[in-house]
Amino acid sequence: MAGEPQADCLFCKIVAGEVPATIVRETETTVAFRDISPQAPTHVLVIPKVHYANAGELAAAEPLIAGEVLSEAAAVAADEKVDGTGYRIIFNTGPGAGQTVFHAHAHVLGGRDLQRLV
């Protein structure tokens, strides 16, 4: 069921503490952790603790939590000190966009020139 933890979801397992991750921030509704295959010096994923397959589903069902994911992404950028030089927040939605874990998540990228990063 949407919103409920999924037994086969890597990110749900991270939220539950069953899979280790380098957590950099955590709130009642979100967890932020370092990407295991970083594409920039700062590459942190911000996920909601509730399970929705993608950003669109999360926004439709839980708009306040979707907003909290964005707010936490900005807080991560400030913590990582990339807010002054610029950073990206990316939501990949669907396999054609590169989404490989089907639990809504935002990538926060910064720490280098991102003008050519697509």
Side-chain angles (χ1 to χ4, degrees), residues 25 42 72-84 86-87 89 108:
R25 290 184 63 86
T42 294
E72 281 302 300
V76 164
D79 289 352
E80 297 285 317
K81 302 192 181 353
V82 297
D83 55 332
Y87 62 96
I89 301 172
V108 180

Side-chain angles (χ1 to χ4, degrees), residues 9-34:
C9 175
L10 173 64
F11 291 173
C12 287
K13 290 177 181 180
I14 289 172
V15 168
E18 298 169 6
V19 171
T22 304
I23 295 174
V24 297
R25 290 184 63 86
E26 184 169 6
T27 69
E28 281 188 33
T29 58
T30 66
V31 177
F33 54 92
R34 298 208 183 278

